[in-house]
Amino acid sequence: MPSSPTANHPDRGPSAPWHMPWALKASVGVHAAAGVAVAAMPELWPQALASVVANHAAITALGLWPTSRLLGPNILRLPPAAITRREITLTFDDGPDPAVTPQVLDLLDAFQVKATFFCIGVRVLQHPELAREIVRRGHRIENHSHAHRHTFSVSGLKRIEQEIRRGQDAIADTVGRVPVFFRAPAGLRNVFLDPVLHKLDLRLASWTRRGFDTARSDADYVAHRLIDNLAPGDLLLLHDGHAARTSAGTPVIIEVLPRLLEACLARNVHPVTLDAAFS
């Protein structure tokens, strides 16, 4: 197993005990207070129930906020050392896709940069040679769950752990490297994710900026979202899987990526893999 990049980060480490996130502590407190209130004064049950319902609504809302840190540690930017080195990280989700990923790899090769691919386990199993090609070209594959289920963020502890473990196994067995980072499907999660990630020695990674390249077919729009104010430390979200197509039928990321890489050259920022940024 590759050495974990978590060693430089006191909020996550393989030997560190799990610390309950602030939002979960507050939720436990609300439930406890409601129980005590009803036990002491049963007539207060409507108010107690309302507080518990409101608490559940708040926790659910936090899970719909991909860049929140209230449910646990969440990488949104690269660390200070990487910023000093003027590094950024390009991440590609939802692959590998035989129609798009090879084109992405060729463009990255042309600019001599490395990237991180958050791959879906079942797609790695469907396209093992393509997954191995990603690694052969010097890029990293990380865990984006096994099946990218839409129900991931409303799943229980056991189901979340199963999804992540299966993704870990699919990737490790195929490419010979164990992922050390995880990105939740669509960035959505719940209170059960952080303890599972801690147990599996994985770190949650979100993003600084995204192009919405699965939903928008306008290459100019996607490019501006990624390039405007691009700066060292940025963690960019793109997609080689589920890529939107332009009016000409071209995956929008294939039109955007050369412009993005040219912008990196012009601004003297250096794309590196996520693990390299934390080394």
Side-chain angles (χ1 to χ4, degrees), residues 242-259:
H242 300 129
R245 261 60 175 178
T246 67
S247 57
T250 304
V252 68
I253 187 58
I254 301 305
E255 290 198 5
V256 169
L257 188 54
R259 296 164 61 175

Side-chain angles (χ1 to χ4, degrees), residues 200-263:
L200 300 180
D201 196 18
L202 282 162
R203 294 196 72 195
L204 179 67
S206 293
W207 53 82
T208 310
R209 58 181 64 235
R210 63 187 301 185
F212 293 100
D213 53 343
T214 61
R216 298 295 295 261
S217 58
D218 183 344
D220 288 337
Y221 172 86
V222 174
H224 283 307
R225 286 194 58 90
L226 295 170
I227 294 171
D228 288 356
N229 301 314
L230 180 68
D234 279 352
L235 179 54
L236 276 60
L237 169 60
L238 306 96
H239 291 80
D240 58 329
H242 300 129
R245 261 60 175 178
T246 67
S247 57
T250 304
V252 68
I253 187 58
I254 301 305
E255 290 198 5
V256 169
L257 188 54
R259 296 164 61 175
L260 174 59
L261 295 173
E262 290 284 2

Side-chain angles (χ1 to χ4, degrees), residues 178-199:
V178 180
V180 293
F181 295 98
F182 176 77
R183 177 171 288 155
L188 308 181
R189 61 199 193 280
N190 62 30
V191 295
F192 300 120
L193 179 60
D194 189 62
V196 170
L197 295 183
H198 189 275
K199 179 179 180 179

Side-chain angles (χ1 to χ4, degrees), residues 42-235:
E43 66 274 16
L44 292 180
W45 74 263
Q47 293 92 328
L49 178 61
S51 68
V52 170
V53 170
N55 170 254
H56 279 264
I59 292 293
T60 300
L62 289 177
L64 299 176
W65 179 12
T67 56
S68 168
R69 286 177 167 149
L70 295 177
L71 295 180
N74 188 5
I75 299 170
L76 307 179
R77 293 184 62 80
L78 303 187
I83 295 174
T84 299
R85 297 190 297 262
R86 299 193 61 80
E87 293 173 351
I88 65 168
T89 293
L90 309 181
T91 65
F92 296 88
D93 282 15
D94 295 359
D97 182 329
V100 180
T101 306
Q103 298 181 71
V104 170
L105 292 175
D106 289 344
L107 287 169
L108 294 173
D109 279 355
F111 284 83
Q112 298 183 330
V113 302
K114 305 304 179 188
T116 297
F117 290 77
F118 280 91
C119 290
I120 299 170
V122 293
R123 291 198 166 196
V124 168
L125 296 177
Q126 290 167 350
H127 310 291
E129 280 305 314
L130 183 52
R132 286 190 279 267
E133 181 66 15
I134 292 172
V135 173
R136 275 195 292 266
R137 297 205 196 186
H139 309 290
R140 297 290 300 210
I141 290 182
E142 303 294 349
N143 191 337
H144 195 36
S145 81
H146 187 65
H148 203 276
R149 299 181 187 279
H150 297 303
T151 56
F152 181 86
S153 65
V154 295
S155 297
L157 184 68
K158 183 178 180 180
R159 184 59 175 271
I160 286 176
E161 181 172 346
Q162 180 186 53
E163 265 292 292
I164 297 175
R165 280 190 182 276
R166 292 182 70 191
Q168 288 286 90
D169 292 344
I171 293 167
D173 291 347
T174 301
V175 305
R177 291 179 178 175
V178 180
V180 293
F181 295 98
F182 176 77
R183 177 171 288 155
L188 308 181
R189 61 199 193 280
N190 62 30
V191 295
F192 300 120
L193 179 60
D194 189 62
V196 170
L197 295 183
H198 189 275
K199 179 179 180 179
L200 300 180
D201 196 18
L202 282 162
R203 294 196 72 195
L204 179 67
S206 293
W207 53 82
T208 310
R209 58 181 64 235
R210 63 187 301 185
F212 293 100
D213 53 343
T214 61
R216 298 295 295 261
S217 58
D218 183 344
D220 288 337
Y221 172 86
V222 174
H224 283 307
R225 286 194 58 90
L226 295 170
I227 294 171
D228 288 356
N229 301 314
L230 180 68
D234 279 352
L235 179 54

